[in-house]
Amino acid sequence: DEIPFRQMKSGHHRLLPFLVAANTVNYGRPSKLSCVEAAAATLYICGRKDAALALLKEFSWGMEFMKLNEELLDIYASCTDAEDVVR
């Protein structure tokens, strides 16, 4: 009755561009986002800024995440494809 994780292969890894964590465990660490930070970043980059902000406002450090990353998030949101993000 175990879940066969080894058999669940994905050709596409879930990656976010460079962002800095603001959560209390990994504050200031690049690419060490909490699930909430990752979800909010995804929403923001995909054009759902209102939903991203609503999610982050539930956490004491949420607006700090925006303060640290807003410029980058705006740049990533303006990209047209993955290659734009890498440039």
Side-chain angles (χ1 to χ4, degrees), residues 36-37 39-58 62-63 65-66 69-79:
V36 170
E37 290 167 317
T42 301
L43 289 167
Y44 194 99
I45 292 168
C46 292
R48 296 295 315 273
K49 294 178 184 181
D50 56 335
L53 293 173
L55 182 60
L56 290 169
K57 285 180 182 175
E58 296 296 318
M63 291 300 99
F65 178 76
M66 286 306 302
N69 295 291
E70 189 167 20
E71 185 177 345
L72 287 172
L73 288 167
D74 285 334
I75 292 169
Y76 298 143
S78 70
C79 293

Side-chain angles (χ1 to χ4, degrees), residues 8-56:
M8 296 180 190
K9 295 182 182 177
S10 172
H12 302 285
H13 295 285
R14 294 171 284 165
L15 296 175
L16 282 170
F18 178 88
L19 295 166
V20 178
N23 67 73
T24 55
V25 174
N26 292 310
Y27 185 88
R29 291 185 179 172
S31 304
K32 291 284 189 181
L33 307 182
S34 67
C35 292
V36 170
E37 290 167 317
T42 301
L43 289 167
Y44 194 99
I45 292 168
C46 292
R48 296 295 315 273
K49 294 178 184 181
D50 56 335
L53 293 173
L55 182 60
L56 290 169

